[in-house]
Amino acid sequence: MARDKAYQEAEQRIEKARQEGAIKLDLSNMRLTEIPEAIASLTGLQLLDLHNNQLTQLPEAVASLTGLQQLDLHNNQLTELPEAIASLTGLQRLYLRNNQLIELPEAIASLTGLQQLYLQNNQLTQLPEAIASLTQLQELNLSRNQLIQVPEAIASLTQLQKLNLSYNELTALPEAIASLTQLQELNLSRNQLTQLAEAIAFLTQLQMLDLFGNQLTQLPEAIASLIQLQNLDLSYNRLTQLPEAIASLIQLQNLNLSDNQLTELPEAIASLTQLQQLDLSYNKLTQLPESTKNLTKLTVLSLSGNEFVSFPNVITSLQKLRELYVIDNKIEQLPNEFGNLTQLKKLCLGGKQISSNTFYKDVTHGNNLTSLPHSFTQLAQLVELNLDENPLNPELAAAYEQGLDAVMAYLWAKTEAQVMLNEAKLILIGEGEVGKSCLLGSLRGDEWVDDRPTTHGIEIKPVIVTDPDSGIEITLNGWDFGGQRVYRPTHQLFFSAPAVYLVIWKPREGPQQGFVKEWITLIKNREPDAKVLVVATHGGPEQRQPDIDRQEIIDQFGKDTVIDFFHVDSKPNQDKTHCTGLAELKQAILLLVSLHLFPKWGVPFQQSGNGCGKPYRQVTKPISPTMMSLPSALNRESMRSKQNCSFASPIY
C-alpha cells in the first residue's frame, strides 16, 4: 500500500537522521497518515517539517523533541493538538495553517518561547486564555477562522508586531488591543466591524492597517495618532466622509478608499504628501479638491466608477503619475493640460481594469470620450492605453484599433503640423526605404544626407513650389509617411483633400514590389477625387530604369486620378546644382495645386505689394488637366500666370 511505503520511507529517514545526529528532518509531501514512534529518538532535532501530509493527529512521542525550535504541520488534517506539545518549550515557530483545528489546548501556555504562530484557515471559534502566556510572540496569524471575539488575554502579547485577524466574524475589538504598542501590522479585513475602537490610538507604531470589507460608517478621531502609518486599506466599507484627522497620517504611502460612499474628499488630503498610491474607485465623487495637487509623489491613482463628467484638471499637476485608471465615469473630454503627465506609463479610460490590482471579469466600461487632446503626444513614457467603450470619432477609433503607436502617430501628425486636416498637403507614400524622405528633402532644397534614417510614423515639413515664369510661390505641408505596415491604417486618416499625392516606388525593385497599385487603391478608398503622381526614385545611368506598365495603371484608376509618371534622382548630380527630374516634378505639383487645390478650396493669396488694386485674390480656375496632357496643361498655366501682379504664399 502507498501508506505503508510512505511509513517505511519515513522510518528510514528517521533512522538516518538518528545515525547522523541531524538537527533537521524533512518528512513533507509524503502522504503520511501517521508518524513513526521512532521519531522520539531524535532528541537533538531542531527543525521538523511535516507539511503536505494527511496527518489527523500527532503521537505522544513528539514530547521527546524538547530541542525543537521549528515545527511545520501546515496542510494536514489535524483536528486537535496533543497535550504532549507542552514539552516543546524551546519552540519558536509553529506552522499549523490549513488544518481542521477547532480549538487550541491549554497546553499551549507552555510554549513561552514561541515567536511566530500561524493558525490561518482552521475552524477556531475562540482563543483560550492560555494565549496570554505567549509573551514572546511577535507574529500571530488567525486569518480565515470563525472567531467572533478576541479575548482580553491578548493584552499580554506586548511583543506582538504582526496580528492577522482577517476573514473572521468579529464585530468589535477589545480595549485590550491598546496594550499592543509594538504592533506594526494589523489586518482586520473581512470581518463585521461597524466601528473602530478608540483604543486604536495607542498603536502608534502601526505601519499597516487593513480594514477592507467591514461595515464602518466613519473613522474615529483617534486615527490621528497613527503617525507611522504607511498603508491604510478602508475599501469596501460604508464611509460617507473622511475626518480631518486624516491630515495627521503624514507618512501614509498607500491609501485605498474604493467601494465606499464618499461624495467628496476633505482639504486635509493635502497633508498626505508622501502618498504614492490612492484608490478612490467606486465612490460618488464628482470632483477632487484643489489641494489634491499637493500629492506630488503620487504614482498610481484610480478614479474608476465615480460620477465625473469633467476630468479633474487638478490631476494634471501630479507629474509623477505613472498609472491612471478612470474607467466607468461620464467624462466627455480630457483637458489639454493632460500632456503634463509626462511620466504616465499606463492609462485606462476604458476596459476592465478598475485599479492597479482590480479587474472586472467579463464587463467592460468606458467614458464618453470622442477625442484626445493634442498634448497627448507629450506622453512619451506611455506603453499601455485602453479606450474601450468610448464613442471615439471614426479616425481616432481606426487608429486605436491598430494600437498605441498608431494613436500617437495620428495625434502627433495633427499636433506637430499645427494644421487642420483640410489644409493643403503634399503627401508622399510608398513602401519603406523607397526614398520618400530623400525626395521630400530634395523638393525642399535640403542638403543631401547619406544614409538618411528611416521614417517612423509621420514627418511634416513645409515645401515651397515656385512657377519659374510667373514667380508664384505656394507653400504646402509635405507629409512624409513611414512605409512600415504598422502605420498604414493610420496614414489613411490623413488622406484628405486638398492634397497632391506622390506614390513613390524604387525601380530596381520593380513596381509590384513597391505596391504601387495597392497604394493608389488606399488613396482612392479614402479620397475618391485625389490626384496622384507616380514617382520612381533611386534610378540613374548605372541602375535599373523605371519599368512600369503605365497604361495598366491608368486603365485601372483613370486619368483623372493618375495624372502622370516621373523619374527623379533625389541625389544631386556631380556638379551638385540640380537633381535629375526634380524640376519637372515641381512644375507638375505646382500645376495640380493651382488647378485642383486652391480654386476648389478658395484659398486667398497675399498680394506682393506691387501696386495691384485688390489686397487679396484667388487663383483663376483653368481648364482641368484631365482635358489635356500634363505638359500642355503646364504650358497653359505658365502662359496664364504671366501678369503684372505676383502672389506670395497662401494665407492660413
Short mmCIF file of all heavy atoms in Angstrom, two decimals, residues 13 54 113 117 133 165 168 246 281 386 442 588:
data_model
loop_
_atom_site.label_atom_id
_atom_site.label_comp_id
_atom_site.label_asym_id
_atom_site.label_seq_id
_atom_site.Cartn_x
_atom_site.Cartn_y
_atom_site.Cartn_z
N ARG A 13 14.20 7.51 6.97
CA ARG A 13 14.74 8.87 7.11
C ARG A 13 15.02 9.19 8.58
O ARG A 13 16.01 9.86 8.90
CB ARG A 13 13.76 9.90 6.53
CG ARG A 13 13.59 9.82 5.03
CD ARG A 13 12.75 10.98 4.51
NE ARG A 13 12.42 10.85 3.11
CZ ARG A 13 11.79 11.75 2.39
NH1 ARG A 13 11.40 12.89 2.97
NH2 ARG A 13 11.51 11.55 1.11
N GLN A 54 -1.14 13.82 5.35
CA GLN A 54 -2.55 13.54 5.65
C GLN A 54 -2.73 13.19 7.13
O GLN A 54 -3.55 12.35 7.50
CB GLN A 54 -3.06 12.41 4.75
CG GLN A 54 -2.96 12.73 3.27
CD GLN A 54 -3.31 11.55 2.38
OE1 GLN A 54 -3.85 10.54 2.84
NE2 GLN A 54 -2.99 11.65 1.10
N GLY A 113 8.42 30.42 24.66
CA GLY A 113 9.45 30.98 23.77
C GLY A 113 8.95 31.20 22.35
O GLY A 113 9.70 31.66 21.48
N LEU A 117 3.35 32.18 15.34
CA LEU A 117 2.31 31.16 15.40
C LEU A 117 1.32 31.40 14.25
O LEU A 117 0.69 32.46 14.17
CB LEU A 117 1.58 31.23 16.75
CG LEU A 117 0.38 30.29 16.93
CD1 LEU A 117 0.78 28.83 16.72
CD2 LEU A 117 -0.24 30.49 18.32
N SER A 133 0.08 33.52 27.90
CA SER A 133 1.44 33.10 28.29
C SER A 133 2.46 33.28 27.17
O SER A 133 3.67 33.19 27.41
CB SER A 133 1.42 31.63 28.73
OG SER A 133 0.56 31.45 29.84
N LEU A 165 -6.15 39.06 11.83
CA LEU A 165 -7.45 38.56 12.26
C LEU A 165 -8.47 38.60 11.11
O LEU A 165 -9.68 38.56 11.34
CB LEU A 165 -7.97 39.39 13.43
CG LEU A 165 -7.19 39.25 14.75
CD1 LEU A 165 -7.55 40.39 15.70
CD2 LEU A 165 -7.46 37.90 15.40
N ASN A 168 -12.72 36.65 9.68
CA ASN A 168 -13.38 36.04 10.83
C ASN A 168 -14.77 36.68 10.95
O ASN A 168 -15.30 37.21 9.96
CB ASN A 168 -12.54 36.23 12.09
CG ASN A 168 -11.40 35.21 12.18
OD1 ASN A 168 -11.63 34.05 12.51
ND2 ASN A 168 -10.18 35.64 11.86
N ILE A 246 -7.42 62.81 9.36
CA ILE A 246 -6.59 62.06 8.41
C ILE A 246 -5.34 62.85 8.04
O ILE A 246 -4.35 62.29 7.58
CB ILE A 246 -7.41 61.69 7.15
CG1 ILE A 246 -6.75 60.51 6.44
CG2 ILE A 246 -7.60 62.89 6.25
CD1 ILE A 246 -7.61 59.92 5.35
N SER A 281 -11.73 54.47 -6.36
CA SER A 281 -12.71 53.89 -7.28
C SER A 281 -14.01 53.52 -6.58
O SER A 281 -14.04 53.17 -5.41
CB SER A 281 -12.11 52.65 -7.97
OG SER A 281 -11.73 51.67 -7.03
N ASN A 386 -5.92 52.17 -22.80
CA ASN A 386 -7.19 51.48 -23.02
C ASN A 386 -8.30 52.51 -23.16
O ASN A 386 -8.57 53.29 -22.24
CB ASN A 386 -7.50 50.51 -21.87
CG ASN A 386 -8.57 49.51 -22.25
OD1 ASN A 386 -9.57 49.85 -22.87
ND2 ASN A 386 -8.35 48.25 -21.89
N SER A 442 14.80 66.85 -51.21
CA SER A 442 15.17 67.49 -52.48
C SER A 442 14.14 68.53 -52.89
O SER A 442 14.49 69.61 -53.39
CB SER A 442 15.29 66.42 -53.58
OG SER A 442 16.34 65.52 -53.28
N ALA A 588 4.90 70.03 -62.09
CA ALA A 588 3.66 69.27 -62.08
C ALA A 588 2.89 69.48 -60.78
O ALA A 588 1.67 69.61 -60.76
CB ALA A 588 3.95 67.78 -62.29
#
